[in-house]
């Protein structure tokens, strides 16, 4: 269990202590003083964690202990579990909890992540979210009254079976991230917005479209007071693919988004900003929302960060246009047996990305797939063709922008090495 808060910052040093440390006495005293919320913890258990070097303390320059974090390693599941996080009352609100948690995370990166359980009625949801934890589920506690415990998780970006499956789905279909405004419309009560968002679940869309969510959805779900509604929304969220991303790309996206917002003078709340940043960090091509403020900065974000922001209806119109588009337009190059084919099927992205990726120059497969997927999904803006020698032998890939009347913008022009390389390029 945990107590503490996070607002201001102060210069502190984080240290790992053992059973010989003079600070162990202070740690035990803090634990006893707050046993009502932390739970009873035998003195011998403190000693054993100290022997295992699994207690962190936050020290002032004068070596005063202002708080501690006690944890254990669960090797069987390769995770870290926080047992106690306690800050001395007069030192709360100074960023000590974050320093302790960040230090633990930085020094246990070989584990999948950090897990903890916290009583829901302690109302520490904002603090845990601020410390980059995500609420996964909840379960009754072991006490007689069975108070609900929320299970929180902070991920260390390790590939897992679940993230591998998610990546495979995203590479084979068009990924569209739904934000909280769309998610909470699904199976909702307001007829108009529900009809628009629920149309995303139509059967004809499923072969081409993978609806995805960010982990920010679970934080918002956790704020619902009604237990039945909260569980229902959590179960609904579990049916969607959760976007995998890493913290470094996420932080880069946050900084880039902040610059765009400053230039547009649009203000978004922290949750909306995080959802957009995760979509950008994961190379998703589409972000679906009904939020008018986000929709107002569509062009700015698309131009700077290559993320297309649409309403659910707009995306469906685009996909419907794709289905009605001409499947095949052969054009022969004289005397060669070579044909030109319109690229309009989203399931071609994976194949073409592998064939035309420029890996020697450091191009990332996910980046190229995202660009190509966006182009194919926007036939009203782009023309995209491949030049084929046979069904499975693409020689060239070209895409050009059709929006500007007197300017030809060519975002993709790739010709594979071969005897017809120069001829194809000239054509």
């Amino acid at each position: 269990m945990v107590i503490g808060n996070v607002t201001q910052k102060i210069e502190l040093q984080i240290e790992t202590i053992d059973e010989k440390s003079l600070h162990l006495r202070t740690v035990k005293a803090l634990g006893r003083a707050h046993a009502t919320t932390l739970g009873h913890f035998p003195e011998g258990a403190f000693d054993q964690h100290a022997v295992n070097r699994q207690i962190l303390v936050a020290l002032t320059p004068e070596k005063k202990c202002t708080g501690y974090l006690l944890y254990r390693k669960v090797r069987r599941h390769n995770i870290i579990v926080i047992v106690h996080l306690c800050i001395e009352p007069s030192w709360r609100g100074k960023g000590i909890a974050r320093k302790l948690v960040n230090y633990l995370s930085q020094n246990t990166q070989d584990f999948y992540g950090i897990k903890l359980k916290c009583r829901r009625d302690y109302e520490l949801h904002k603090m845990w979210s601020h410390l980059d934890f995500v609420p996964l589920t909840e379960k009754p506690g072991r006490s007689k009254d069975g108070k609900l415990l929320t299970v929180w998780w902070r991920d260390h970006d390790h590939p897992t079976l679940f993230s591998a499956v998610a990546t495979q789905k995203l590479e084979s279909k068009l990924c569209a991230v739904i934000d909280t405004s769309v998610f909470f419309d699904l199976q909702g009560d307001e007829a108009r917005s529900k009809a628009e968002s629920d149309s995303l679940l139509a059967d004809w869309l499923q072969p081409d479209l993978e609806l995805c969510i960010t982990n920010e959805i679970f934080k918002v779900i956790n704020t619902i007071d009604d237990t039945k509604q909260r569980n229902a929304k959590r179960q609904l969220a579990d049916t969607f693919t959760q976007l995998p991303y890493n913290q470094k790309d996420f932080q880069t996206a946050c900084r880039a988004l902040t610059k765009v917002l400053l230039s547009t003078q649009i203000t978004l709340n922290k949750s909306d900003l995080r959802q957009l940043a995760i979509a950008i960090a994961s190379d998703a091509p589409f972000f679906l929302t009904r939020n008018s403020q986000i929709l107002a900065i569509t062009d700015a974000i698309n131009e700077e960060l290559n993320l297309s922001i649409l309403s659910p209806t707009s995306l469906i119109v685009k996909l419907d246009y794709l289905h009605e588009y001409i499947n095949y337009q052969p054009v022969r190059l004289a005397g060669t047996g070579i044909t030109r084919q319109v690229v309009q099927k989203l399931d071609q992205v994976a194949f073409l990305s592998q064939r035309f990726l420029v890996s020697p120059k450091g191009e990332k497969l996910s980046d190229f797939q995202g660009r190509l997927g966006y182009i194919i999904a926007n036939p009203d803006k782009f023309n995209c063709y491949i030049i084929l020698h046979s069904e499975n032998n693409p020689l060239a890939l070209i895409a050009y922008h059709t929006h500007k009347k007197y300017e030809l913008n060519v975002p993709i022009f790739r010709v594979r090495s071969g005897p017809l390389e120069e001829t194809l390029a000239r054509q």
Side-chain angles (χ1 to χ4, degrees):
M1 193 57 306
V2 183
I3 40 181
N5 208 333
V6 183
T7 50
Q8 302 172 4
K9 294 182 179 180
I10 192 170
E11 289 300 322
L12 292 168
Q13 183 176 352
I14 308 300
E15 289 186 4
T16 299
I17 65 171
D18 59 21
E19 74 279 9
K20 299 176 183 178
S21 172
L22 297 177
H23 300 298
L24 182 56
R25 180 181 296 179
T26 305
V27 168
K28 291 179 179 179
L30 273 173
R32 286 193 300 269
H34 301 286
T36 303
T37 47
L38 292 172
H40 175 67
F41 204 66
E43 184 167 335
F46 279 107
D47 293 333
Q48 188 58 53
H49 279 76
V51 169
N52 294 338
R53 298 182 60 81
Q54 294 175 354
I55 300 178
L56 304 177
V57 292
L59 305 177
T60 67
E62 297 77 28
K63 297 299 180 181
K64 174 181 172 59
C65 179
T66 61
Y68 74 93
L69 187 157
L70 185 148
Y71 66 97
R72 58 190 173 91
K73 299 177 180 179
V74 184
R75 296 288 184 182
R76 182 178 58 176
H77 301 300
N78 197 42
I79 65 172
I80 297 295
V81 175
I82 292 180
V83 181
H84 284 180
L85 174 57
C86 183
I87 310 302
E88 202 276 324
S90 64
W91 286 89
R92 293 177 189 172
K94 295 176 170 43
I96 299 174
R98 173 169 285 281
K99 286 181 177 292
L100 286 164
V101 171
N102 284 352
Y103 185 92
L104 175 64
S105 179
Q106 291 162 8
N107 288 276
T108 57
Q109 283 293 308
D110 51 331
F111 289 81
Y112 289 139
I114 305 172
K115 179 181 177 181
L116 65 91
K117 296 176 184 177
C118 183
R119 268 178 54 169
R120 181 171 178 83
D121 60 344
Y122 288 166
E123 298 184 350
L124 294 173
H125 321 313
K126 288 184 179 179
M127 186 190 85
W128 292 123
S129 293
H130 184 75
L131 294 175
D132 300 324
F133 285 87
V134 176
L136 297 182
T137 186
E138 54 194 42
K139 56 181 65 178
R142 295 180 180 178
S143 60
K144 292 181 180 179
D145 51 9
K147 294 289 187 180
L148 277 180
L149 301 176
T150 302
V151 179
W152 294 83
W153 175 256
R154 174 164 162 160
D155 199 68
H156 282 169
D157 300 328
H158 285 271
T160 64
L161 177 61
F162 296 108
S163 63
V165 171
T167 301
Q168 186 177 25
K169 286 182 179 179
L170 301 182
E171 289 177 352
S172 61
K173 293 184 179 182
L174 178 70
C175 168
V177 184
I178 60 173
D179 77 343
T180 50
S181 67
V182 174
F183 175 81
F184 282 97
D185 280 346
L186 299 174
Q187 303 178 4
D189 298 323
E190 296 185 23
R192 182 176 177 181
S193 61
K194 170 179 163 48
E196 179 181 8
S197 297
D198 276 359
S199 59
L200 292 169
L201 305 178
D203 290 341
W204 71 271
L205 289 172
Q206 305 316 306
D208 291 332
L209 182 65
E210 186 69 29
L211 294 178
C212 305
I213 59 171
T214 70
N215 57 22
E216 192 69 22
I217 292 285
F218 293 96
K219 295 182 181 180
V220 180
I221 290 173
N222 196 57
T223 64
I224 300 174
D225 291 328
D226 185 271
T227 301
K228 186 176 180 180
Q229 291 181 17
R230 191 168 62 249
N231 289 337
K233 288 299 182 183
R234 190 175 283 126
Q235 289 174 8
L236 177 62
D238 286 337
T239 65
F240 293 94
T241 298
Q242 188 175 155
L243 280 182
Y245 68 99
N246 66 62
Q247 279 296 320
K248 183 178 180 181
D249 291 340
F250 170 73
Q251 294 298 336
T252 300
C254 281
R255 290 191 291 270
L257 266 175
T258 300
K259 290 182 179 179
V260 171
L261 291 175
L262 287 173
S263 67
T264 59
Q265 297 184 331
I266 293 289
T267 301
L268 298 180
N269 64 43
K270 185 176 293 186
S271 180
D272 290 334
L273 180 67
R274 287 181 61 88
Q275 291 175 81
L276 283 167
I278 291 171
I280 293 166
S282 62
D283 297 316
F286 292 105
F287 186 88
L288 306 184
T289 183
R290 296 183 62 253
N291 185 319
S292 58
Q293 285 186 301
I294 298 177
L295 289 170
I297 54 176
T298 295
D299 291 341
I301 291 180
N302 185 22
E303 182 176 344
E304 295 294 328
L305 301 169
N306 199 31
L307 177 67
S308 181
I309 300 174
L310 302 166
S311 68
T313 299
S314 297
L315 178 71
I316 290 169
V317 168
K318 286 179 180 292
L319 291 177
D320 185 54
Y321 182 82
L322 279 175
H323 276 271
E324 296 299 326
Y325 207 62
I326 299 174
N327 287 330
Y328 189 77
Q329 294 181 354
V331 178
R332 290 196 175 274
L333 278 74
T336 65
I338 291 175
T339 59
R340 184 184 72 181
Q341 178 182 337
V342 175
V343 181
Q344 59 90 9
K345 293 183 179 180
L346 295 169
D347 59 7
Q348 293 177 278
V349 171
F351 172 74
L352 293 175
S353 298
Q354 292 284 355
R355 291 296 188 276
F356 292 99
L357 182 71
V358 188
S359 52
K361 292 189 177 182
E363 185 176 41
K364 291 172 59 178
L365 180 61
S366 59
D367 290 343
F368 188 45
Q369 287 178 331
R371 289 172 58 204
L372 184 57
Y374 173 75
I375 288 169
I376 296 173
N378 286 274
D380 53 330
K381 294 182 179 180
F382 298 94
N383 284 337
C384 185
Y385 299 96
I386 49 174
I387 307 300
L388 294 164
H389 188 261
S390 63
E391 184 177 352
N392 294 313
N393 185 22
L395 302 178
L397 172 67
I398 183 170
Y400 57 90
H401 203 294
T402 59
H403 188 63
K404 296 182 179 180
K405 187 174 182 181
Y406 300 107
E407 180 180 326
L408 184 64
N409 183 0
V410 185
I412 295 178
F413 187 90
R414 307 280 171 95
V415 180
R416 298 180 71 192
S417 297
L420 293 176
E421 178 179 353
E422 292 186 11
T423 302
L424 288 171
R426 285 195 298 271
Q427 291 291 332

